[in-house]
Amino acid sequence: MIELRTPAEITQMRAAGGFVADVLTELTAASAVGVNLLDLDALAHRLIRKRGAESCYIDYHPSFGSSPFGKVLCTSVNDAALHGLPFDYAIADGDLVSLDFAVSVDGWVADSAVSFVVGTPRDEDLRLIAATERALAAGIAAAAPGNRIGDISAAIGGVARDSGYSVNTDFGGHGVGRTMHGDPHIPNDGRGHRGFPLRAGLVFAIEPWLMHTTDEIFTDVDGWTLRSADGSRASHVEHTVAVTEDGPVVLTARAT
Ligand code: MG
């Protein structure tokens, strides 16, 4: 069921959005060569406690997960595309790191992800990240009243394909509200002018993710981490966006 939020509720959701943005900024700054993924998770946990926020991940146990997630941060490194379960791994020079973070603050959820290279980047990784960011920007720009869900999907998929990447549509954007995952589902590719009509009050996460040379994934033996089928690297970026009469508002925008 798709739910609409009032302008006052969207104002309340800004608290969660701002906190998620600030945590991702802090975690990105802390991601250096030699830093362990478990330390990043522990830092996120401390920031959650300090703020009095509630993790959306730690008890998360959907049908596709083998057990509750148990951490508060997804850390997807290199060929890990999504849902990376933090483990005892020290970030190496040139690693492509994606961090995905969702909490609720005062009962409202925000969900956002960022990708970056630690240390010396490969050009191809920077191109992949840039394409994923352009796809997100195009998806956000399409999130305006009068458009439809399919216009967001088509915008994301168009950027991906124009950039030379194929798209996996198994996981995509989702409604965000009192819980992390609601309707509508927003596939990362699709046909414009199709699907649910966008109107003010819709709040959802838009989250393109791309891999260099495949659109297939498999689940790691940890039961959570989704890795590219061919070992090529992946990038994932996400924002929580409110559709308003004035157009899309990014609730998880980071200070630049
Ligand atoms: Mg997320």
Side-chain angles (χ1 to χ4, degrees):
M1 185 179 66
I2 290 174
E3 294 178 88
L4 299 178
R5 313 297 171 190
T6 65
E9 288 175 328
I10 290 172
T11 298
Q12 291 169 21
M13 296 179 85
R14 286 178 177 278
F19 175 69
V20 165
D22 290 346
V23 170
L24 284 177
T25 297
E26 193 158 335
L27 292 172
T28 301
S31 298
V33 173
V35 170
N36 198 292
L37 300 181
L38 295 174
D39 294 334
L40 291 179
D41 180 69
L43 171 57
H45 217 147
R46 282 198 299 278
L47 295 169
I48 285 173
R49 275 196 296 268
K50 195 168 139 197
R51 179 64 176 81
E54 203 173 310
S55 172
C56 295
Y57 291 165
I58 196 157
D59 297 322
Y60 189 54
H61 191 186
S63 54
F64 57 81
S66 63
S67 57
F69 192 71
K71 306 289 183 193
V72 300
L73 180 69
C74 291
T75 55
S76 302
V77 179
N78 296 336
D79 65 313
L82 296 173
H83 306 163
L85 183 67
F87 66 107
D88 181 11
Y89 174 81
I91 296 172
D93 185 46
D95 277 355
L96 197 175
V97 176
S98 301
L99 304 176
D100 191 349
F101 184 67
V103 297
S104 78
V105 174
D106 303 330
W108 293 106
V109 170
D111 188 0
S112 185
V114 62
S115 284
F116 52 88
V117 176
V118 174
T120 317
R122 303 179 189 177
D123 286 346
E124 61 176 26
D125 289 343
L126 297 181
R127 282 199 299 275
L128 181 72
I129 293 168
T132 320
E133 289 175 341
R134 284 198 308 277
L136 176 59
I140 291 169
N147 280 349
R148 291 171 177 262
I149 293 289
D151 292 304
I152 300 174
S153 300
I156 294 169
V159 169
R161 278 181 273 104
D162 288 351
S163 307
Y165 305 105
S166 54
V167 179
N168 177 304
T169 53
D170 290 349
F171 294 90
H174 49 88
V176 170
R178 295 290 186 183
T179 59
M180 177 169 60
H181 286 136
D183 292 328
H185 173 62
I186 307 176
N188 282 332
D189 200 7
R191 296 172 69 187
H193 315 300
R194 296 286 195 280
F196 191 81
L198 302 180
R199 63 195 75 194
L202 278 167
V203 181
F204 41 65
I206 301 176
E207 51 175 322
W209 55 284
L210 298 172
M211 300 174 284
H212 276 299
T213 48
T214 184
D215 56 17
E216 292 187 78
I217 50 175
F218 71 96
T219 307
D220 186 280
V221 291
D222 69 12
W224 280 100
T225 306
L226 299 177
R227 296 187 182 278
S228 70
D230 64 358
S232 65
R233 292 183 169 193
S235 167
H236 172 219
V237 293
E238 174 178 19
H239 275 307
T240 298
V241 178
V243 179
T244 76
E245 299 290 357
D246 301 324
V249 173
V250 178
L251 299 177
T252 47
R254 292 181 295 278
T256 49

